């Protein structure tokens, strides 16, 4: 048995005042929730950011970018603390010092996946770990679809970052639609299987989140110029740095591609890329594969 | 009647002089007895000798024949004692004059017909004979080109027993074989693979050039079909040409392994590419009588390990010590032996099981799968690889030669490499080091000193990129080579920046987050 007092885990039945209002009116509401931390603020907007566990660099970059802008605007980030999109979005919010809430398909004292241990340890400072399963419940695949309805339930808007056509994210989307929530998706290249789910959602009538501002507007928040800083930094770059930065993309590019586009040699490219990396404008995602940052 | 002649016993690469003594006596029953701690193949040699002599027209008298291979406490193996024993027996029989065997060494296998057949390990044998002051070495004609490369000793190749007898009795003269190493090494050679035929891959090309210039071990990472193996095959074409000493060093190893062809010597830098199912013993060298393994056959050349993570872990870990010490020690019950292993390690691998990471739209591996794949290569081994580069898939425009840098020829790259090697030779004169990759932590301050600006850059990189101390050293050594390639005495910022681009794969970059 888990001693829930020591673990600071509380059980909050649905008839308590503290129980989230958002969850009272969804179909098949939970009878109660185990929580470590505090529930999302009812007066502040919340967005669920979900997507593939094995996301591409593009998906990872987008999850980070949207989570950063949204949480800075005061939006609470809800997600499932899974590998990939979920974890990246929540870690971004955590790193920026904003509250984020992880809804689990296992007990709130069970760390799954292990690679997100750091997030599990820090998330309760400002947010919470939430689950309808009692402490000690192991992570079993069939429990995950039911927690997706709580993710959708706690959010005002559901944002899908990257998903294949058939995936767990689809269940969350269905739940959100049943609950009458807005669904937004980030479009991608039509040839990418990882973006196919998102593109199909948009074709089926979901909102296209072309910028984080689209999501903010859906929540009734007036966006503020969020990328000014980066723009100021870019204008200060040397000529060749600027040229190289302009050909970088969120899809990883190899040295060969960069050389073809800029005409620089490998030695020159590596030198400039290092400068960009140190300035936080580029990142090496795989060996000698580079992407643009911010 | 007693007589003797010298031969050589081999254990691994170590040769030791052995005397074949024969005594013919009339007392006792007629037998042919061989003693001296002999392996079974040496014991069998009396049957070969008896028949070979009969078929060459020399009848063994019905007397008590005792052959001793001295020193008697040294285990002897191999078939190379046949010729020496036969000669000493013929001496004892009076067919060959006694004085003919003085200051002479003989080695070779006999066939039943009397023919003298080639044996392995001739090169170290001839060296040992010369070291011990012998003036003449009689060996199989097929091995003459090999033994003839040793100066200061007369090397005589014989075809059969009859010819040997005629030569030693003075009724026939055989011109000693002498090979001019310079002439062989200066021959024009067309490399099997040339960098001219490699399109694109600017990063990998440059990385390989730097690797060869400073003898840094290199790891190539890229999707299947991106040309990793092809580029590795081009490596010998940009390695500096062989010197005469190096040629003999390599040939000795190949001689012991019995891999020398009709040419007699190894005249090109070896390129050894074992399959990933190779056993630890085959890689390091082994066997009852130790034979050189792949690491030694790649001495002064390239050891190419394709599909790096597919090798057994135990096999890969064996590489650590040979890489560090440039030699491998093999212990067996009968003694230990040492083989040289000064090679350039070039490894190639896919970034994940399916080969397409980080292209997530084609890669079907999950995060943990990728981690598992990468973790097959241990940290200590990665620590010994200074440079890692990525090979990218080749687009059609590059294949058809429309875009991308037109391939620079190996010849041009080699010129730069040779220059850099010369700079290093001068720098390391009298230090026992040969290449920048040999620089140890203690020597770093002396050979890889950097200015304040460079220091600042290294500090920033160290802090922001989470480098380890070893990673820091590797970058300094690699930037030293890059500076040498640019004929720069000091290491400048641009050299360091490029070296950082080649830093080893860092676990941090593989977990999909940044």
């Amino acid at each position: 048995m888990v001693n829930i007092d020591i673990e600071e885990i509380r059980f909050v039945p649905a008839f308590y005042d503290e129980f989230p209002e958002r969850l009272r009116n969804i179909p098949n509401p939970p009878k109660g929730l185990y929580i470590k931390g505090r529930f999302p603020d009812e007066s502040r907007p919340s967005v669920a950011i979900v997507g593939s566990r094995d996301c591409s660099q593009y998906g990872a970059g987008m999850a980070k970018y949207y989570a950063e802008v949204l949480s800075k605007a005061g939006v609470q980030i809800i997600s499932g603390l899974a590998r990939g999109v979920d974890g990246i979005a929540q870690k971004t919010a955590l790193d920026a010092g904003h509250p984020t809430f992880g809804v689990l398909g296992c007990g709130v004292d069970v760390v799954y996946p292990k690679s997100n241990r750091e997030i599990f340890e820090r998330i309760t400072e400002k947010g919470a770990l939430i689950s309808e399963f009692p402490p000690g419940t192991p992570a079993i695949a069939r429990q995950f679809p039911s927690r997706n309805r709580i993710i959708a339930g706690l959010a005002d808007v559901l944002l899908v970052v990257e998903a294949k056509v058939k995936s767990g994210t689809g269940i969350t989307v269905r739940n959100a639609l049943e609950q009458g929530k807005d669904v937004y998706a980030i479009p991608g290249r039509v040839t990418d299987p990882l973006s196919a789910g998102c593109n199909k959602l948009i074709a089926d009538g979901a909102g296209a989140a072309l910028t984080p501002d689209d999501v903010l507007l859906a929540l009734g928040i007036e966006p503020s110029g969020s990328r000014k800083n980066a723009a100021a930094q870019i204008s200060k770059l040397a000529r060749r740095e600027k040229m190289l930065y302009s050909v970088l993309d969120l899809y990883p590019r190899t040295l060969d591609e960069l050389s073809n586009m800029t005409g620089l040699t490998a030695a020159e490219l590596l030198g400039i890329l290092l400068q960009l990396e140190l300035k936080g404008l580029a990142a090496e995602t795989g060996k000698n594969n580079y992407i643009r940052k911010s | 009647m007693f007589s003797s002649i010298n031969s050589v016993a081999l254990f691994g690469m170590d040769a030791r002089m052995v005397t074949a003594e024969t005594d013919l006596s009339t007392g006792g029953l007629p037998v042919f007895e061989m003693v001296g701690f002999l392996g079974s193949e040496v014991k069998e040699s009396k049957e070969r000798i008896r028949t070979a002599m009969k078929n060459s027209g020399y009848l063994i008298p019905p007397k008590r024949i005792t052959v001793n291979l001295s020193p008697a406490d040294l285990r002897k193996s191999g078939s190379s004692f046949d010729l020496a024993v036969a000669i000493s027996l013929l001496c004892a029989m009076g067919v060959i004059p006694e004085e003919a065997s003085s200051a002479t060494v003989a080695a070779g296998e006999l066939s039943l017909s009397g023919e003298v057949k080639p044996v392995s390990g001739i090169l170290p044998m001839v060296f040992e004979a010369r070291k011990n002051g012998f003036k003449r070495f009689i060996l199989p004609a097929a091995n003459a080109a090999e033994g003839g490369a040793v100066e200061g000793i007369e090397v005589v190749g014989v075809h059969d027993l009859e010819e040997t007898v005629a030569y030693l009795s003075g009724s026939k003269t055989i011109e000693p074989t002498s090979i001019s190493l310079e002439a062989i090494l200066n021959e024009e050679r067309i490399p099997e693979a040339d960098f001219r035929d490699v399109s694109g891959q600017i990063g990998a090309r440059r990385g390989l050039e730097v690797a060869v210039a400073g003898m840094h071990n290199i790891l190539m990472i890229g999707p299947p079909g991106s040309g990793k193996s092809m580029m590795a095959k081009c490596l010998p074409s940009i390695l500096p040409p062989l010197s005469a000493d190096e040629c003999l060093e390599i040939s000795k190893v190949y001689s012991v392994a019995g891999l020398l062809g009709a040419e007699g010597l190894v005249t090109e830098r070896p390129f050894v590419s074992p399959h990933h199912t190779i056993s630890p013993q085959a890689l390091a060298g082994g066997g009852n009588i130790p034979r050189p393994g792949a690491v030694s056959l790649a001495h002064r050349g390239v050891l190419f390990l394709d599909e790096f993570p597919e090798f057994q872990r135990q096999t890969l870990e064996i590489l650590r010590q040979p890489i560090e010490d440039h030699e491998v020690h093999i212990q067996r019950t009968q003694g230990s032996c040492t083989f040289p292993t000064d090679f350039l390690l070039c490894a190639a691998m896919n970034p994940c099981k399916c080969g397409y990471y980080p292209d997530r739209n084609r890669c079907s591996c999950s995060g943990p799968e990728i981690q598992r794949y990468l973790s097959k290569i241990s940290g200590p081994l990665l620590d010994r690889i200074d440079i890692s580069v990525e090979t990218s898939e080749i687009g059609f425009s590059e294949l058809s030669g429309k875009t991308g840098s037109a391939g620079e020829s190996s010849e041009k790259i080699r010129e730069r490499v040779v220059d850099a090697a010369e700079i290093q030779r001068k720098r390391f004169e009298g230090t026992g080091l040969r290449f920048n990759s040999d620089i140890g932590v203690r020597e770093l301050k002396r050979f890889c000193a950097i200015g304040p600006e460079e220091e600042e850059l290294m500090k920033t990189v160290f802090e922001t990129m989470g480098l380890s101390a070893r990673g820091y050293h590797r970058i300094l050594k690699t930037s030293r080579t890059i500076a040498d390639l640019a004929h720069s005495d000091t290491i400048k910022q641009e050299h360091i920046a490029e070296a950082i681009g080649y830093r080893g794969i860092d676990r941090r970059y593989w977990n999909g987050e940044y």
Side-chain angles (χ1 to χ4, degrees):
Chain A
M1 268 307 284
V2 178
N3 189 339
I4 63 172
D5 287 338
I6 292 173
E7 294 277 340
E8 294 166 355
I9 299 165
R10 291 175 299 133
F11 177 70
V12 180
F15 53 80
Y16 274 30
D17 284 348
E18 198 189 347
F19 193 79
E21 206 59 43
R22 288 179 173 106
L23 287 179
R24 286 193 204 278
N25 301 316
I26 66 169
N28 186 19
K31 303 278 180 293
L33 289 173
Y34 292 88
I35 181 164
K36 190 174 171 186
R38 64 196 67 100
F39 281 112
D41 193 336
E42 302 281 357
S43 60
R44 284 172 65 188
S46 61
V47 168
I49 299 182
V50 297
S52 174
R53 284 198 301 269
D54 298 312
C55 58
S56 68
Q57 296 303 332
Y58 167 74
M62 286 296 125
K64 198 170 176 195
Y65 172 43
Y66 278 63
E68 203 170 290
V69 176
L70 291 177
S71 59
K72 207 181 264 174
V75 176
Q76 311 174 88
I77 307 292
I78 318 281
S79 197
L81 266 176
R83 229 170 49 228
V85 169
D86 288 20
I88 294 169
Q90 300 203 275
K91 186 163 189 295
T92 308
L94 263 185
D95 288 346
H98 301 297
T100 173
F101 303 85
V103 185
L104 307 176
C106 51
V108 292
D109 57 337
V110 177
V111 179
Y112 179 86
K114 292 256 186 312
S115 54
N116 282 346
R117 176 175 286 280
E118 190 202 341
I119 309 178
F120 274 80
E121 281 166 3
R122 285 167 51 205
I123 196 167
T124 48
E125 289 165 20
K126 286 194 172 164
L129 293 166
I130 299 168
S131 173
E132 61 176 323
F133 302 103
T137 310
I140 299 169
R142 65 180 148 79
Q143 292 162 5
F144 284 80
S146 74
R147 69 102 194 241
N148 287 358
R149 79 184 197 288
I150 302 177
I151 295 179
L154 283 174
D156 299 320
V157 167
L158 176 69
L159 175 66
V160 185
V161 174
E162 208 176 32
K164 295 190 175 169
V165 175
K166 256 189 83 170
S167 63
T169 308
I171 298 169
T172 318
V173 171
R174 222 174 304 130
N175 287 322
L177 293 174
E178 276 168 19
Q179 297 165 12
K181 304 278 167 70
D182 277 348
V183 175
Y184 276 76
I186 301 176
R189 296 193 287 209
V190 290
T191 49
D192 289 355
L194 273 168
S195 286
C198 287
N199 293 341
K200 189 169 182 300
L201 278 176
I202 295 170
D204 291 347
L210 302 182
T211 67
D213 298 352
D214 292 332
V215 183
L216 287 177
L217 286 171
L219 292 164
I221 301 171
E222 197 56 40
S224 58
S226 48
R227 304 195 75 179
K228 271 185 198 145
N229 270 345
Q233 211 181 349
I234 291 158
S235 68
K236 272 189 234 144
L237 294 178
R239 195 180 59 82
R240 289 214 285 191
E241 287 176 352
K242 212 183 274 177
M243 170 171 75
L244 191 55
Y245 181 77
S246 69
V247 298
L248 285 173
D249 195 0
L250 277 171
Y251 291 97
R253 292 217 193 279
T254 63
L255 281 181
D256 270 327
E257 289 170 327
L258 293 175
S259 162
N260 277 343
M261 286 188 272
T262 59
L264 298 171
T265 68
E268 289 166 338
L269 280 173
L270 289 171
I272 302 170
L273 282 165
L274 176 69
Q275 293 301 331
L276 289 177
E277 252 181 281
L278 291 178
K279 286 176 183 153
L281 294 172
E284 186 180 16
T285 60
K287 184 66 220 170
N288 294 152
N289 274 274
Y290 299 90
I291 57 160
R292 185 161 55 101
K293 266 179 97 176
S294 77
Chain B
M1 187 59 188
F2 166 85
S3 75
S4 72
I5 189 168
N6 288 284
S7 192
V8 192
L10 265 189
F11 186 77
M13 296 265 291
D14 305 325
R16 256 185 89 178
M17 296 311 297
V18 165
T19 313
E21 306 169 326
T22 307
D23 179 73
L24 281 184
S25 57
T26 39
L29 288 169
V31 284
F32 189 169
E33 189 78 66
M34 279 183 77
V35 295
F37 201 12
L38 309 177
S40 54
E41 68 273 37
V42 188
K43 278 184 197 146
E44 285 164 357
S45 89
K46 67 182 172 203
E47 297 306 325
R48 284 196 295 273
I49 293 166
R50 190 202 304 275
T51 321
M53 284 179 66
K54 187 202 84 184
N55 288 335
S56 305
Y58 311 107
L59 276 181
I60 295 180
K63 289 182 178 172
R64 189 177 177 85
I65 304 168
T66 315
V67 173
N68 177 35
L69 293 180
S70 142
D73 62 345
L74 178 75
R75 175 99 180 161
K76 290 152 204 93
S77 59
S79 56
S80 65
F81 298 105
D82 292 7
L83 187 62
V85 173
I87 291 175
S88 79
L89 179 55
L90 286 164
C91 269
M93 284 159 58
V95 178
I96 299 172
E98 183 92 24
E99 62 277 8
S101 62
S102 69
T104 300
V105 185
E109 182 184 323
L110 283 178
S111 99
L112 297 187
S113 64
E115 189 194 340
V116 180
K117 291 171 129 183
V119 292
S120 59
I122 282 294
L123 206 50
M125 289 184 192
V126 179
F127 270 108
E128 183 68 15
R130 185 186 69 177
K131 200 176 99 188
N132 284 279
F134 289 92
K135 297 279 175 279
R136 182 167 60 170
F137 204 114
I138 299 174
L139 42 69
N143 288 129
E146 180 185 337
V150 184
E151 285 168 9
I153 184 166
E154 207 170 283
V155 170
V156 180
V158 290
H159 292 90
D160 53 39
L161 204 51
E162 255 188 289
E163 190 185 15
T164 314
V165 173
Y167 168 70
L168 287 172
S169 333
S171 59
K172 183 181 178 183
T173 49
I174 302 175
E175 210 37 53
T177 316
S178 178
I179 307 285
S180 160
L181 276 178
E182 268 71 33
I184 296 182
L185 292 173
N186 285 336
E187 265 173 45
E188 193 68 33
R189 259 178 221 90
I190 299 147
E192 259 179 62
D194 196 295
F195 270 106
R196 193 184 309 151
D197 308 325
V198 178
S199 40
Q201 310 291 13
I202 57 156
R205 288 173 79 105
R206 173 72 180 163
L208 287 169
E209 177 183 334
V210 177
V212 166
M215 284 303 259
H216 301 283
N217 296 322
I218 182 168
L219 173 64
M220 290 191 280
I221 306 164
S226 59
K228 299 185 289 288
S229 317
M230 183 186 176
M231 275 189 286
K233 287 203 182 98
C234 294
L235 273 177
S237 66
I238 61 169
L239 282 161
L242 270 185
S243 70
D245 284 346
E246 285 176 325
C247 165
L248 287 177
E249 270 179 50
I250 304 168
S251 298
K252 260 195 217 173
V253 179
Y254 276 71
S255 173
V256 169
L259 291 175
L260 280 182
E263 215 186 1
L265 292 171
V266 179
T267 52
E268 278 171 51
R269 291 196 183 267
F271 178 81
V272 181
S273 164
H275 187 253
H276 59 73
T277 52
I278 188 172
S279 70
Q281 286 75 20
L283 187 69
N288 228 341
I289 296 122
R291 279 164 52 93
V295 287
S296 302
L297 295 178
H299 181 57
R300 301 268 187 241
V302 178
L303 179 67
F304 176 53
L305 301 181
D306 205 356
E307 309 296 352
F308 204 35
E310 302 295 341
F311 282 81
Q312 279 178 37
R313 185 164 199 145
Q314 194 196 352
T315 310
L316 284 186
E317 295 311 301
I318 279 177
L319 285 173
R320 279 151 59 171
Q321 186 254 340
I323 290 177
E324 204 82 338
D325 302 344
H326 300 317
E327 56 185 24
V328 62
H329 308 283
I330 293 164
Q331 256 82 35
R332 290 293 182 267
T333 36
Q334 293 165 27
S336 73
C337 62
T338 305
F339 293 115
T341 62
D342 192 358
F343 56 86
L344 172 75
L345 173 67
C346 175
M349 65 185 279
N350 295 332
C352 66
K353 216 167 64 182
C354 77
Y356 292 107
Y357 187 84
D359 185 352
R360 269 308 198 174
N361 283 297
R362 281 165 79 194
C363 171
S364 53
C365 306
S366 70
E369 269 177 334
I370 295 170
Q371 286 291 326
R372 220 173 301 134
Y373 189 76
L374 293 173
S375 65
K376 285 187 185 171
I377 299 161
S378 72
L381 194 56
L382 277 181
D383 273 343
R384 287 164 173 82
I385 298 177
D386 290 347
I387 297 181
S388 73
V389 286
E390 170 261 1
T391 58
S392 43
E393 264 183 301
I394 303 165
F396 179 76
S397 59
E398 278 161 342
L399 275 180
S400 55
K402 291 224 174 73
T403 58
S405 50
E408 196 180 10
S409 73
S410 292
E411 199 53 48
K412 279 207 177 124
I413 304 176
R414 190 191 226 180
E415 279 167 21
R416 290 196 294 269
V417 169
V418 170
D419 283 354
E422 182 58 23
I423 293 172
Q424 292 171 67
R425 195 187 59 77
K426 282 191 187 133
R427 173 183 313 132
F428 297 133
E429 215 149 42
T431 58
L433 306 178
R434 293 181 62 231
F435 291 99
N436 289 333
S437 56
D438 300 333
I439 299 176
V441 178
R442 241 177 285 157
E443 293 110 2
L444 265 179
K445 274 226 171 65
R446 184 170 155 209
F447 296 119
C448 300
I450 50 175
E453 278 174 35
E454 287 76 20
E455 190 89 46
E456 190 57 36
L457 174 69
M458 280 304 273
K459 190 171 161 242
T460 323
V461 169
F462 192 83
E463 281 161 2
T464 54
M465 294 191 166
L467 281 184
S468 66
R470 276 192 193 228
Y472 175 84
H473 295 149
R474 282 203 300 275
I475 288 174
L476 276 183
K477 285 193 276 185
T478 315
S479 38
R480 180 66 263 171
T481 304
I482 295 169
D484 287 345
L485 277 170
H487 294 273
S488 164
D489 282 343
T490 53
I491 300 175
K492 299 201 181 107
Q493 279 201 37
E494 68 227 51
H495 304 142
I496 293 180
E498 191 185 340
I500 290 169
Y502 301 133
R503 72 189 178 283
I505 49 169
D506 196 327
R507 302 280 171 212
R508 199 159 61 93
Y509 292 95
W510 296 86
N511 54 18
E513 293 176 31
Y514 58 92

